[in-house]
């Protein structure tokens, strides 16, 4: 199945250092780094074709094996083939996202499609499947057994073991799903609606927002349902009527255009699931995930609901009482009022301004702080590689060395930090693999693609707290890739864990950055050198802790909805009635009549029924975090145990086992409960 992640776009196959020779017979200059041998489209194409030739040679080799199938004669060449595809894909993606020259980016994009198509062919190759299925399960090597089982499962989920007619049908259904999902997304993107407002109705909105809009001849202003208008209106407009009209328009923007598209999409997914032997799409979509079945999603939703509902009710009561004090006569708050009153309440109660901490987070110090925090936590060290060949002058390379007792000084891999914006570069924040790890043959390498300010002379690059947390989150994926990429199989690294576990380790790290000791280790005022004040950290933490349960209830609501659209016959579903029922079930904020939520719910494209992923990873992340000594997050024995049991195994074990190995039990709800009740707060530092 496809895998989705909010923060890193490239996943899936991972991939050799085997016999990397060019067609001419001359050794390829660098078989794992495309950019080293020349950053022009023609060189890249030659390099990628070398990888694809290698992949094909590996596949031919494994198919041609005479006699009994073994790990060495079949699984090894298979993994080599996957390694070549991953190298090709990772490098092409890197240059597509990061190259300066537009013609190189264009060629890299075209090559990415070619590589992806080679991956699809490998995933549907019946001879390869038959060869892999004929390998006797190794009884003495659980990692290899798990790798083989998972590979065979993915083949079956692609329908490789079906007859020709059925496979043809599967291909057609998959193409149809892709087309419908694209059409669905396009209709949302193109479905901008207009909302008219009087000058008085704009009260509460920031002056620069009002200045951006021109007044019409009749004195009104025309707003749209695009993000730059919708968010400020829902957050700041004090006029309830305007908020209501904006909410209604925003949540109806692809109606009725998408009604039939969505119905067709759901019906096609259902047909695919039936062909593959599953009762409905929700069960097919969880077949290769940690949660395992749609029944388990329901169980998870009920468990989280039981702990978050009472807290969310309390949060609502606080906010309603606050609103009633401001505007006597209000008896309830609607979905359209939610963000506005949350914002007003946070401001009044916590007196925290996010801008106040920025001077304490200049980019260079933050980077140094994140490296040293990660080094202490994971028992590793970083050494800058000054002579590394990189794709842009601004990119920094670091070698990662082990610092754990018994292994100190061993090189584990390399990371590249491409951290500031430049013309033509990808605009997002992500972590991704560059080179997969294979024990004894190939060290893992990974990259960060970010767009933080700074990096140029005269600009200290002052960061918002949320950006600092994003940096550490993405860095966490990189550490998972390096530490989890020391095993024998290229496609069993940190990025290859089940799609509904992949965010848990990075979400755990986010929690660490509430800790005053950690923040104060690098948070220094860029002009005065003053340490980030404890009082400011406390206010920041209080403000961010408020509303956690309300947010979780919101995630429960749309996870439930996504599941319900995929666990029953799609023809009979009344999209609006179901959404209203789920709103009433999970939220004390009253539903807004007349909205058509499903038609513009873009997460249905990628996640489909798997919107619970955030919930599950949050539960696990908070439970993981609760195991650390809250007075000594970095230096206690827990950090090393975490590295050994959760990160180092990569995808060589089912994620549920990683969780059990670290916690001594499956994840539970107790830590989440404390976290929501704000009991779970970082202690004040011992000194200061
Ligand atoms: Zn992430």
């Amino acid at each position: 199945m496809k895998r989705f992640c909010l923060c890193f776009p490239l996943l899936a196959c991972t991939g050799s250092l085997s016999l990397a020779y060019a067609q001419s017979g001359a050794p390829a200059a660098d078989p794992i780094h495309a950019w080293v041998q020349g950053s022009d489209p023609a060189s890249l194409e030659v390099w990628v074709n070398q990888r694809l030739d290698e992949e094909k040679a590996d596949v031919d080799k494994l198919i041609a094996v005479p006699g009994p199938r073994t790990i060495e004669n079949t699984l090894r060449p298979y993994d080599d083939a996957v390694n070549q595809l991953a190298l090709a894909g990772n490098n092409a993606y890197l240059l597509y996202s990061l190259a300066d020259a537009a013609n190189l980016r264009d060629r890299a994009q075209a090559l990415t499609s070619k590589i992806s198509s080679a991956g699809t062919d490998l995933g549907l190759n019946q001879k390869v499947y038959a060869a892999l299925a004929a390998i006797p399960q190794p009884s003495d090597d659980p990692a290899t057994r798990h790798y083989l089982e998972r590979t065979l499962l993915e083949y079956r989920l692609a329908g490789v073991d079906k007859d020709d007619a059925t496979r043809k049908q599967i291909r057609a259904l998959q193409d149809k799903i892709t087309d419908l999902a694209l059409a669905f997304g396009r209709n949302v993107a193109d479905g901008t609606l207009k909302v008219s407002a009087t000058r008085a109705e704009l009260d509460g909105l920031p002056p620069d927002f009002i200045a951006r809009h021109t007044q019409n001849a009749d004195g009104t202003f025309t707003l749209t349902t695009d993000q730059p208008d919708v968010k400020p209106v829902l957050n700041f407009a004090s006029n309830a009527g305007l908020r209501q009209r904006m909410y209604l328009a925003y949540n109806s923007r692809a109606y009725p255009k998408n009604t039939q598209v969505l119905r067709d999409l759901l019906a096609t997914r259902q047909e695919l699931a039936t062909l593959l032997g599953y009762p409905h799409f929700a069960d097919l979509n969880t077949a290769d995930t940690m949660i395992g079945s749609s029944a388990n999603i329901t169980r998870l939703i009920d468990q989280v609901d039981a702990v978050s509902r009472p807290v969310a009710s309390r949060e609502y009561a606080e906010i309603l009482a606050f609103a009633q004090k401001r505007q006597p006569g209000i008896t309830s708050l609607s979905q359209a009022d939610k963000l506005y009153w949350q914002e007003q309440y946070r401001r009044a109660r916590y007196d925290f301004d996010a801008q106040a901490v920025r001077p304490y987070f200049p980019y260079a110090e933050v980077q140094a702080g994140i490296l040293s925090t990660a080094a202490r936590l994971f028992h590793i060290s970083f050494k800058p590689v000054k002579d590394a060949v990189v794709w842009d002058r601004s990119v920094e390379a670091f070698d990662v060395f082990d610092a754990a007792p018994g292994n100190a000084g061993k090189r584990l891999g390399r990371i590249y930090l491409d951290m500031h914006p430049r013309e033509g570069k990808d605009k997002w924040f992500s972590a991704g693999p560059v080179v997969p790890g294979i024990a004894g043959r190939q060290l893992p390498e990974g990259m960060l693609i970010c767009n933080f300010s700074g990096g140029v002379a005269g600009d200290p690059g002052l960061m918002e707290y949320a950006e600092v947390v994003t940096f550490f989150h993405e860095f966490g994926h990189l550490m998972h890739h390096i530490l989890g990429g020391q095993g024998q199989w290229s496609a069993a690294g940190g990025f290859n864990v089940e799609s509904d576990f992949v965010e848990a380790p990075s979400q755990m790290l986010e929690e660490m950055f509430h800790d005053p000791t950690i923040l104060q280790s690098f948070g220094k005022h860029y002009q005065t050198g003053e340490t980030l004040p404890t009082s400011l950290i406390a206010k920041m933490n209080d403000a961010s802790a408020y509303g956690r349960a309300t947010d979780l209830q919101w995630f429960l609501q749309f996870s439930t909805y996504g599941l319900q659209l995929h666990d029953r016959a799609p023809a009979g579903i009344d999209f609006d009635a179901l959404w209203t029922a789920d709103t009433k079930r999970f939220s004390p904020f009253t539903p807004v009549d007349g909205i058509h939520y499903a038609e513009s719910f873009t997460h249905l494209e990628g996640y489909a029924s798997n919107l619970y992923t955030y919930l599950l990873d949050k539960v696990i992340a908070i439970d993981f975090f609760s195991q650390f000594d809250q007075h000594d997050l970095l230096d206690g024995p827990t950090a090393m145990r975490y590295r050994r049991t959760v990160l180092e195994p990569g995808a060589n074990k089912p994620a549920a086992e990683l969780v059990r190995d670290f916690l001594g039990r499956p994840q539970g709800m107790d830590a989440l409960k404390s976290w929501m009740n704000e009991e779970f707060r970082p202690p004040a530092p011992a000194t200061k």
Side-chain angles (χ1 to χ4, degrees), residues 252-572:
S252 308
R253 64 203 195 283
Y255 175 86
K257 240 181 166 176
N258 259 345
T259 309
Q260 196 54 46
V261 179
L262 180 58
R263 224 168 262 297
D264 292 345
L265 177 62
L266 299 179
T268 314
R269 283 175 174 162
Q270 169 72 14
E271 207 181 332
L272 177 67
T274 312
L275 262 188
L276 289 167
Y278 289 84
H280 46 64
F281 188 78
D283 272 348
L284 170 65
N285 205 22
T286 45
D288 63 349
T289 62
M290 182 181 178
I291 207 150
S293 71
S294 64
N296 288 339
I297 302 179
T298 303
R299 199 165 302 134
L300 172 75
I301 288 171
D302 290 345
Q303 286 170 337
V304 175
D305 190 31
V307 295
S308 60
R309 184 173 289 269
V311 189
S313 297
R314 194 182 70 210
E315 288 172 352
Y316 178 75
E318 286 169 8
I319 240 173
L320 179 62
F322 173 80
Q324 285 169 330
K325 235 182 256 167
R326 288 272 178 100
Q327 288 181 20
I330 290 182
T331 52
S332 66
L333 302 174
S334 85
Q335 294 288 327
D337 298 325
K338 182 170 142 183
L339 295 176
Y340 172 77
W341 285 111
Q342 282 183 332
E343 173 70 24
Q344 295 295 316
Y345 182 68
R346 276 201 190 99
R347 278 191 201 178
R349 182 167 165 188
Y350 301 109
D351 182 34
F352 172 67
D353 173 4
Q355 297 300 315
V357 297
R358 282 183 71 227
Y360 297 90
F361 294 132
Y363 179 81
E365 277 71 19
V366 170
Q367 179 178 309
I370 280 178
L371 261 64
S372 69
T373 303
R376 272 171 71 184
L377 185 65
F378 298 123
H379 296 259
I380 50 180
S381 68
F382 298 95
K383 195 172 160 204
V385 191
K386 297 285 181 208
D387 58 351
V389 181
V390 290
W391 53 89
D392 184 86
R393 267 191 320 202
S394 67
V395 176
E396 289 182 84
F398 294 85
D399 275 341
V400 185
F401 292 90
D402 207 340
N407 221 13
K410 186 186 170 209
R411 195 158 83 88
L412 298 173
R414 180 171 290 184
I415 58 170
Y416 303 92
L417 304 183
D418 189 338
M419 303 305 280
H420 306 291
R422 59 176 181 272
E423 186 67 34
K425 178 181 156 176
D426 176 271
K427 304 265 182 288
W428 196 237
F429 299 82
S430 65
V434 178
V435 176
I438 306 172
R441 281 171 53 188
Q442 185 172 284
L443 288 177
E445 300 186 8
M447 62 176 166
L448 284 195
I449 303 176
C450 294
N451 284 279
F452 297 120
S453 54
V456 288
D459 179 5
L462 301 182
M463 296 171 77
E464 289 190 22
Y465 171 69
E467 293 180 307
V468 177
V469 175
T470 298
F471 190 168
F472 202 42
H473 174 109
E474 299 304 338
F475 203 82
H477 286 303
L478 217 46
M479 293 299 95
H480 198 183
H481 177 62
I482 300 295
L483 292 167
Q486 308 294 319
Q488 57 183 322
W489 304 111
S490 75
F495 281 119
N496 304 101
V497 295
E498 287 102 310
S499 59
D500 56 353
F501 179 71
V502 80
E503 293 298 328
S506 283
Q507 288 192 359
M508 194 279 284
L509 290 184
E510 289 180 18
E511 295 303 316
M512 299 218 160
F513 270 36
H514 292 299
D515 182 73
T517 312
I518 293 178
L519 290 174
Q520 289 176 335
S521 72
F522 61 89
K524 313 274 182 218
H525 196 284
Y526 79 111
Q527 285 167 324
T528 63
E530 179 208 9
T531 300
L532 180 62
T534 307
S535 58
L536 198 52
I537 298 175
K539 272 199 231 175
M540 184 167 80
N541 285 336
D542 286 342
S544 83
Y546 175 77
R548 282 172 175 169
T550 304
D551 289 349
L552 278 176
Q553 290 294 117
W554 167 237
F555 278 93
L556 288 170
Q557 182 179 334
F558 71 64
S559 302
T560 300
Y561 193 59
L563 175 63
Q564 289 169 330
L565 293 181
H566 294 91
D567 71 353
R568 60 198 66 187

Side-chain angles (χ1 to χ4, degrees), residues 239-258:
N239 185 287
L242 176 61
R243 292 198 304 265
Q244 167 94 2
R245 293 203 305 281
M246 180 59 94
Y247 187 85
L248 191 57
Y250 181 69
N251 288 296
S252 308
R253 64 203 195 283
Y255 175 86
K257 240 181 166 176
N258 259 345

